[in-house]
Amino acid sequence: MSVAYSSTRVEVAIVGGGPAGLMLSHLLHSAGIDNTVIDNRSVTAIENTHRAGILERDSVRLLVESGVSDRVLREGQEHRGIDLRFGGASHRIDFQDAVGASCWLYPQTEVFADLHRARVRDGGDLRYGVTGTEVLDVRDEPRVRCVGADGRPQEIRADLVIGADGSRSVCRGLVGGATRYFREYPFAWFGVLVEAPPSAPELIYARSEQGFALISQRTRTVQRMYFQCDPSEDPSAWSDDRIWDQLQTRLAGTDGFTLREGPVIERTVLPFRSFVQTPMRHGRLLLAGDAAHTVPPTGAKGLNLALADVRVLAEAVERGLRGGDDDALTRYTDRALARVWKAQHFSYWMTTLLHRVASASDFDERRQLGELDSIVGSAAGTAYLAEGYTGWPNS
Ligand code: PHB
């Protein structure tokens, strides 16, 4: 028996309605390109998925200047530096001094909320909570099929399909002949949300004999913290006391710093890996964001990279569909990957700079401290970190 699909035709079908998919949808809409977004998650599920909280300067600019929202400038916090903490003391990296740039503390959940509101405001076709997504005929006549949240089968025919469906992408697998680059790490991050006041005005990245820890923030009363752990750790097996004990030991020092405690309200173990798939185009299908690449969370590059991808992709799609420049869609891979590999290196580098590897020798440990000293003790070292952290200029 054949299924009766309700069928629509759009220029671009976007699989994945997280920040990358919605930002692309917004940019395409602004360029007059009609598009439909589908996602198997509900809006509430995405709103409650905690991810990183730091936006590069150009990510902030994109949100504001493309007309999504300027809430980041009113409710986000400008951070003009970070602390690197090692040897029992904090060393400030002043971004403004080093490279004249800042980043913004503005959690991904807020970025999603702004984008979702903007797309609803502008009448976007957003279909959340779909099931059974299938992407077909990507070589020449792409179609997306799914069952809507109302239980009715839908088919979307499009000129292009964009896979912005995250690190568990189904679209990724449709790119025939792709090359995949992987790196696994022998650790993960234990992430917590805690009810406590901030302990410092900016983020603290700490290297200690017990391993890495990061003190980030969310609001005046809720903070986000992480510490290096074994990838097999079960978060539910950890009591609040045990978590605080780990964090306190890793932040301990001789400079009077106090880490302020409170109840742990959420705990998760975050996977830790580097991944790139190339090319990002296959026929009429293109990939964006985590679907094509993953970075470890050190340095908070994931969301920023996804936003950088879709900024370049929106332009390529406009040229491809409106300017008859199909090559622009092919060139997208190289344009996006230039930034992706810089960010891959930066995230890997910050990770190895601050984490403890069980097999590390005395030599390795002292070399790591030497590297930290040469970053905080040299203008060139500080500028290198500051430039990567606040984000390289758009190409
Ligand atoms: C966060 O606030 O969640 C965060 C900040 C910086 C990172 C990673 C995560 O490098």
Side-chain angles (χ1 to χ4, degrees), residues 29-319:
H29 171 77
S30 305
I33 296 172
D34 63 319
N35 64 84
T36 295
V37 177
I38 67 157
D39 198 301
N40 55 15
R41 299 165 297 176
S42 68
V43 171
T44 329
I46 302 177
E47 279 171 343
N48 290 308
T49 307
H50 296 288
R51 303 286 289 272
I54 292 289
L55 292 184
E56 293 174 0
R57 177 189 39 189
D58 283 345
S59 299
V60 170
R61 209 172 269 163
L62 183 64
L63 285 172
V64 175
E65 289 179 3
S66 73
V68 171
S69 168
D70 64 359
R71 196 161 67 95
V72 53
L73 298 178
R74 289 178 280 111
E75 296 177 27
Q77 279 178 50
E78 180 182 356
H79 281 193
R80 300 171 148 242
I82 53 168
D83 273 354
L84 289 186
R85 190 169 174 81
F86 58 97
S90 288
H91 308 261
R92 182 154 189 271
I93 301 289
D94 189 321
F95 299 153
Q96 280 293 335
D97 252 18
V99 292
S102 295
C103 58
W104 270 257
L105 179 86
Y106 194 64
Q108 181 162 328
T109 42
E110 302 303 321
V111 175
F112 173 78
D114 288 347
L115 283 163
H116 186 251
R117 210 170 293 132
R119 289 311 292 128
V120 170
R121 173 193 72 198
D122 297 343
D125 180 4
L126 310 178
R127 308 181 189 179
Y128 284 92
V130 305
T131 53
T133 302
E134 277 182 294
V135 179
L136 306 161
D137 299 337
V138 292
R139 283 238 54 91
D140 41 19
E141 290 197 352
R143 288 169 296 141
V144 178
R145 282 181 174 173
C146 62
V147 176
D150 59 2
R152 293 176 40 197
Q154 313 177 349
E155 182 176 77
I156 305 159
R157 286 170 295 122
D159 295 325
L160 292 172
V161 172
I162 312 295
D165 50 345
S167 54
R168 293 197 202 90
S169 175
V170 293
C171 294
R172 175 196 292 158
L174 301 174
V175 176
T179 305
R180 295 178 174 172
Y181 302 91
F182 257 118
R183 181 171 183 111
E184 305 277 349
Y185 298 81
F187 40 75
W189 275 9
F190 198 112
V192 290
L193 272 180
V194 303
E195 267 170 22
S199 295
E202 293 167 346
L203 269 54
I204 306 174
Y205 287 83
R207 179 261 179 218
S208 79
E209 304 296 315
Q210 291 74 29
F212 170 79
L214 168 60
I215 309 303
S216 183
Q217 309 162 351
R218 286 296 177 264
T219 65
R220 283 207 315 261
T221 52
V222 175
Q223 313 309 321
R224 182 79 164 143
M225 302 180 189
Y226 303 92
F227 58 90
Q228 177 186 347
C229 69
D230 193 89
S232 65
E233 210 62 73
D234 170 12
S236 64
W238 283 67
S239 68
D240 286 19
D241 280 352
R242 195 169 158 217
I243 289 169
W244 283 116
D245 186 49
Q246 277 300 321
L247 286 165
Q248 292 290 5
T249 329
R250 294 170 192 215
L251 271 296
T254 49
D255 59 353
F257 169 76
T258 311
L259 181 62
R260 297 162 105 176
E261 299 190 4
V264 176
I265 50 181
E266 206 195 280
R267 59 199 82 202
T268 32
V269 170
L270 283 76
F272 217 91
R273 69 202 139 87
S274 303
F275 167 72
V276 178
Q277 172 166 318
T278 185
M280 291 164 75
R281 175 185 188 181
H282 181 69
R284 311 304 294 163
L285 168 72
L286 296 110
L287 303 177
D290 281 2
H293 44 76
T294 310
V295 288
T298 328
K301 285 276 163 269
L303 172 59
N304 291 293
L305 262 192
L307 295 178
D309 273 3
V310 298
R311 194 187 60 78
V312 174
L313 180 55
E315 210 182 285
V317 169
E318 197 180 346
R319 287 210 193 139

Side-chain angles (χ1 to χ4, degrees), residues 321-359:
L321 295 187
R322 289 290 151 77
D325 180 9
D326 187 71
D327 251 17
L329 295 167
T330 303
R331 285 195 306 271
Y332 161 67
T333 293
D334 285 345
R335 284 190 68 194
L337 284 187
R339 191 183 191 89
V340 167
W341 279 113
K342 279 201 257 187
Q344 285 292 355
H345 169 67
F346 185 77
S347 311
Y348 165 90
W349 172 70
M350 266 196 91
T351 300
T352 55
L353 181 67
L354 295 159
H355 287 68
R356 189 165 193 287
V357 185
S359 61

